[in-house]
Amino acid sequence: LALRRDTSSQANNNSPARRLLVAHASLDPHLPALFSLDASSSRRSNSRRGPSLGPDGLRLTMSRMDLWFEDSNAAGHAYKVLSSKIAKARAKRGGNIKAALLAR
């Protein structure tokens, strides 16, 4: 998962609403619930089948979710909280992989 702030919604917009973009990349061709296929990643690809990761023809599936907030304060707070949750999950994932490898 990757999180970023949307700066394009702030230009020429009088609304206080702000958006956070949550990006998900996986080798699994099935999208997670609530995520939609990221059309911008397929445009960046040079092949018809999408980005290839090797001779086996593995494809990276890119998806995204747009989260809307009523103002920049709410979006900023959510950005901080979600960023820390993503960082903690990544750190824990390494421990889970290590435990699975040592259990054998």
Side-chain angles (χ1 to χ4, degrees):
L1 286 178
L3 184 66
R4 67 183 174 100
R5 295 178 180 159
D6 182 24
T7 55
S8 64
S9 67
Q10 296 176 6
N12 300 326
N13 190 353
N14 293 331
S15 172
R18 295 294 175 249
R19 177 172 66 168
L20 293 180
L21 304 171
V22 182
H24 178 266
S26 174
L27 293 175
D28 186 1
H30 300 94
L31 301 177
L34 301 178
F35 281 77
S36 60
L37 187 63
D38 189 0
S40 64
S41 68
S42 63
R43 278 182 264 158
R44 281 183 254 151
S45 171
N46 292 334
S47 70
R48 290 180 295 144
R49 297 179 342 189
S52 178
L53 296 180
D56 297 334
L58 296 175
R59 291 193 313 175
L60 189 62
T61 303
M62 303 290 290
S63 58
R64 64 183 265 177
M65 177 174 43
D66 298 345
L67 299 174
W68 285 94
F69 296 91
E70 64 182 62
D71 61 10
S72 60
N73 290 336
H77 178 71
Y79 181 81
K80 289 177 187 175
V81 170
L82 288 172
S83 294
S84 68
K85 297 276 185 187
I86 290 170
K88 287 178 186 176
R90 285 181 180 160
K92 188 181 282 189
R93 177 180 61 192
N96 291 343
I97 292 171
K98 181 180 177 182
L101 291 174
L102 292 177
R104 289 185 176 228

